[in-house]
Amino acid sequence: MSNPRNGDTKPPCLPRNGLVKIPTQPNGLGSASITKGTPAVKNRLCQPSSVPAILSPALAHRSDLPIPSLASPLSLATLASVSSPPGASLVGLNASEGSDQPSPERLPGSPSERQLAVDEKILNRLFWYFSACEKCVLAQVCKAWRRVLYQPKFWVGLTPVLHTKELYNILPGGEKEFVSLQGFAVRGFDGFCLVGVSDLDICEFIDNYPLSKKGVKSMSLKRSTITDAGLEVMLEQMQGVVRLELSGCNDFTEAGLWSSLNARITALSVSDCINVADDAIAAISQLLPNLTELNLQAYHVTDTALAYF
């Protein structure tokens, strides 16, 4: 973890187990990342460690509060008396399931300091003061810290962004094995952004994510080769999806939309999909009576489509 006091501004997020990679560039999409709210938000959560990133905006100008630091376990006791601010920044994504770091029980120091380092009541308060990028690192410290950080309350409003190459592990024989998504389920993620996936990848995701059938509320597919069949299977199997985003997907047709769209969808975003034209708008207007939000960017939609609304 970087320390803002020693001049080291390197972001503390590091690739781990080949699943999540936070981009080092200030802009652009990395192989896997997280955005807060919808995946289209440009504000990245991975930032260099700093005091403003640790403290919430409401507490940033209060000089009477101590600056959280992991350099000394005593800071845990100091912050234990400070209540969690409403709307504090939530945690980012850490896909690691294990940790090679020693647990605080084995760290040097007095017994009272070691007990404070694993006191769940204190940790539940302390972790709200760290940025999402810092929480990614904190979840790798030890099992006790990961157990606290893996509570769904720390992950609300965050969307994991996974590229297709991050969904598979290469076995010694050259075969591909779909990665375990159990860690995502423990944290209760109800929205995903999948980049560059195919119909097979969608089916593997549905089969391997325990919450896919009912627990996923939002799905975003970007630059993917999903076809009419894959789109139909996804919306048929994932009965909880009410928010759908399709961006840069050029392999599904207007007929695929007619057969796939479900009346439960309340928010739809379609952009840079070459086969979307007037008939697709007709399908949206007739098949989605509960639609409250529509974002559309299409090259072949004419004035005629407006009459459908």
Side-chain angles (χ1 to χ4, degrees):
M1 176 179 294
S2 63
N3 190 334
R5 299 181 181 180
N6 60 15
D8 185 7
T9 60
K10 182 178 180 181
C13 293
L14 299 175
R16 190 171 180 85
N17 293 345
L19 182 59
V20 172
K21 298 178 182 177
I22 302 297
T24 57
Q25 299 82 3
N27 297 310
L29 183 67
S31 58
S33 57
I34 299 176
T35 60
K36 189 170 185 178
T38 61
V41 177
K42 295 181 180 179
N43 181 26
R44 311 302 295 180
L45 295 183
C46 184
Q47 300 175 352
S49 177
S50 62
V51 172
I54 294 176
L55 292 178
S56 66
L59 301 177
H61 302 291
R62 290 185 56 181
S63 58
D64 59 321
L65 293 180
I67 298 176
S69 171
L70 295 182
S72 170
L74 294 179
S75 61
L76 297 171
T78 306
L79 286 177
S81 60
V82 182
S83 59
S84 301
S89 299
L90 296 181
V91 68
L93 176 63
N94 168 36
S96 173
E97 295 299 323
S99 175
D100 298 329
Q101 301 297 327
S103 63
E105 295 91 332
R106 297 194 297 271
L107 294 177
S110 66
S112 60
E113 292 177 345
R114 292 196 296 269
Q115 291 172 2
L116 287 174
V118 294
D119 188 292
E120 293 191 4
K121 186 176 181 180
I122 295 178
L123 294 176
N124 271 285
R125 285 180 162 184
L126 176 68
F127 288 152
W128 290 104
Y129 290 90
F130 291 87
S131 68
C133 195
E134 290 166 330
K135 290 175 183 175
C136 293
V137 180
L138 294 176
Q140 303 177 35
V141 171
C142 65
K143 292 181 179 180
W145 287 24
R146 186 173 68 248
R147 182 170 59 251
V148 173
L149 280 172
Y150 269 29
Q151 297 175 89
K153 66 180 182 180
F154 288 112
W155 310 87
V156 176
L158 297 176
T159 299
V161 180
L162 302 177
H163 286 237
T164 180
K165 63 181 180 180
E166 305 296 333
L167 296 176
Y168 296 93
N169 290 324
I170 305 300
L171 301 178
E175 299 179 353
K176 294 194 303 183
E177 178 185 51
F178 202 84
V179 298
S180 173
L181 299 177
Q182 184 62 34
F184 293 86
V186 172
R187 287 165 281 185
F189 285 111
D190 62 356
F192 281 87
C193 178
L194 304 181
V195 183
V197 296
S198 63
D199 291 352
L200 178 60
D201 300 328
I202 291 293
C203 293
E204 290 283 1
F205 176 84
I206 294 173
D207 291 339
N208 287 276
Y209 188 58
L211 305 181
S212 63
K213 300 297 178 63
K214 298 290 184 179
V216 176
K217 307 299 182 184
S218 174
M219 280 297 296
S220 175
L221 303 180
K222 295 187 176 183
R223 301 192 300 275
S224 299
T225 58
I226 186 172
T227 65
D228 295 348
L231 189 61
E232 184 175 0
V233 168
M234 183 183 73
L235 293 178
E236 179 181 351
Q237 294 291 323
M238 304 178 72
Q239 293 292 318
V241 173
V242 295
R243 301 181 63 89
L244 177 64
E245 179 182 9
L246 301 171
S247 178
C249 303
N250 297 323
D251 289 272
F252 72 88
T253 65
E254 292 180 315
L257 277 180
W258 278 102
S259 60
S260 302
L261 292 181
N262 191 286
R264 68 175 180 272
I265 294 179
T266 60
L268 178 65
S269 177
V270 180
S271 61
D272 295 329
C273 298
I274 195 171
N275 292 321
V276 174
D278 290 348
D279 287 344
I281 306 305
I284 293 172
S285 62
Q286 297 181 34
L287 298 176
L288 304 181
N290 299 316
L291 191 67
T292 59
E293 179 183 342
L294 174 63
N295 297 305
L296 178 66
Q297 179 192 356
Y299 303 107
H300 304 294
V301 174
T302 67
D303 296 342
T304 304
L306 297 179
Y308 292 117
F309 291 99

